[in-house]
Amino acid sequence: MHPMLNIAIRAARSAGNIIVRSLQHVEHLEITTKGRNDFVSDVDRLAEQEIINTIKKAYPEHAVLAEESGQNGESDTVWVIDPLDGTTNFLHGFPHYCVSIAVVFKGKVEHSVIYDPLRDELFTATRGSGAKLNDRRLRVTKRKELKEGLLATGFPFKYPEHLTPYLATFNAIFPQVADIRRGGSAALDLAYVAAGRVDGYWEIGLQKWDLAAGMLLIEEAGGITSDFVGGNNHYESGNIVAGNIAIQQQMLDSISPHLTDELKR
Ligand code: IPD
Ligand code: CA
Ligand code: CA
């Protein structure tokens, strides 16, 4: 295993421990509002600090881009961190959230960890070496027909201005698929595409820390991620379609015509 992946795993597991330990007193947590429907608790901050400390001990010269503390340092290697993806779930006691950590070298994700501390599921990938869930190799689904597909998505609950275009995409695709899930953690949605638990996923308005780790997991599991015109701007824009290659193309065909140009890339 690559030493950087090893550090990412160590960091994700200790953040996961912080999250799970805090469950006993979740109703007494201090919660701050960052924006509309966008909350942060001490648990997000503590978990993030733990991750950053673990990384900085091993790689003091690397930069960090983390959701709660922003960009720290300048380097070709940036650790992109979401300490708790699925905060709304966490705060409501809905058991579905994770820690997401990616190592990005010159703009390309090289190592990924997504850790679900409740199920003790560790999703990992290193570029060129495949993706794993715990010790098992991951592959995306083989399903070819959108009508048989189970998709995941995210609602634009932080961005009311995206509701109308989002609902247009939902209306277009819903009648064409087996069903759609809204889990509430973008990183787990992506991990589930890689693990073959859903055939595809789309969302608009994400951040780099929601996406980075999951993008490599999917690629290494034989799937594809793109923006809504099949291009590569999704990491920058946060507008993403992911899936196995056949389903992802059908999703693009179905969704793209319903999005404004601004949200397509
Ligand atoms: C959110 C979750 C959610 C997605 C939002 C994200 P957070 O991240 O991933 O599923 O729909 O766009 O912001 O705030 O829980 O880390
Ligand atoms: Ca997130
Ligand atoms: Ca978060």
Side-chain angles (χ1 to χ4, degrees):
M1 182 189 297
H2 194 284
M4 283 194 220
L5 184 65
N6 204 14
I7 293 297
I9 293 172
R10 188 182 305 166
R13 283 196 184 278
S14 32
N17 283 341
I18 291 175
I19 294 167
V20 168
R21 268 189 272 131
S22 72
L23 280 173
Q24 294 136 350
H25 48 90
V26 73
E27 63 278 9
H28 302 299
L29 283 178
E30 184 109 11
I31 297 162
T32 328
T33 307
K34 290 192 284 183
R36 186 182 183 275
N37 284 342
D38 199 2
F39 306 103
V40 59
S41 72
D42 291 345
V43 178
D44 300 65
R45 291 199 197 90
L46 275 174
E48 180 165 305
Q49 208 41 63
E50 173 69 21
I51 295 166
I52 294 174
N53 291 345
T54 307
I55 294 166
K56 286 281 174 187
K57 222 182 275 169
Y59 299 103
E61 70 284 11
H62 289 175
V64 161
L65 172 66
E67 177 171 13
E68 311 307 341
S69 56
Q71 173 93 24
N72 184 290
E74 284 294 331
S75 165
D76 283 344
T77 307
V78 185
W79 293 67
V80 180
I81 302 162
D82 192 332
L84 173 49
D85 185 59
T87 293
T88 303
N89 284 346
F90 172 75
L91 294 175
H92 287 258
F94 189 94
H96 190 75
Y97 35 80
C98 67
V99 180
S100 177
I101 302 175
V103 183
V104 179
F105 180 69
K106 293 190 172 171
K108 252 185 152 182
V109 187
E110 294 295 332
H111 307 282
S112 286
V113 173
I114 292 178
Y115 181 54
D116 173 345
L118 295 178
R119 296 180 183 84
D120 194 24
E121 289 191 326
L122 184 75
F123 301 86
T124 56
T126 287
R127 183 169 295 282
S129 305
K132 284 183 173 175
L133 165 49
N134 297 333
D135 289 328
R136 193 166 54 79
R137 269 285 169 135
L138 292 186
R139 286 310 285 176
V140 294
T141 60
K142 293 193 172 66
R143 226 163 260 116
K144 294 262 178 300
E145 301 289 336
L146 192 55
K147 66 176 188 308
E148 291 163 7
L150 178 64
L151 303 186
T153 189
F155 302 146
F157 67 118
K158 296 177 190 173
Y159 306 104
E161 69 276 20
H162 289 164
L163 183 60
T164 303
Y166 173 75
L167 288 177
T169 68
F170 189 93
N171 278 328
I173 206 162
F174 182 69
Q176 302 186 54
V177 299
D179 205 352
I180 296 178
R181 298 285 175 265
R182 195 304 189 236
S185 162
L188 282 179
D189 291 332
L190 292 161
Y192 282 18
V193 172
R197 292 174 177 178
V198 290
D199 301 287
Y201 161 71
W202 87 102
E203 184 158 350
I204 52 181
L206 291 171
Q207 303 289 335
K208 289 194 167 77
W209 45 78
D210 299 315
L211 289 177
M215 281 169 53
L216 179 65
L217 276 172
I218 292 177
E219 209 179 304
E220 288 297 323
I224 186 168
T225 65
S226 77
D227 58 28
F228 287 85
V229 291
N232 266 327
N233 198 44
H234 49 306
Y235 187 53
E236 290 301 322
S237 68
N239 303 326
I240 185 170
V241 191
N244 78 36
I245 288 170
I247 297 278
Q248 201 256 7
Q249 183 58 52
Q250 293 166 65
M251 291 176 72
L252 287 177
D253 295 343
S254 163
I255 290 173
S256 284
H258 302 275
L259 279 177
T260 55
D261 285 346
E262 176 214 347
L263 292 173
K264 273 186 189 161
R265 288 169 207 272

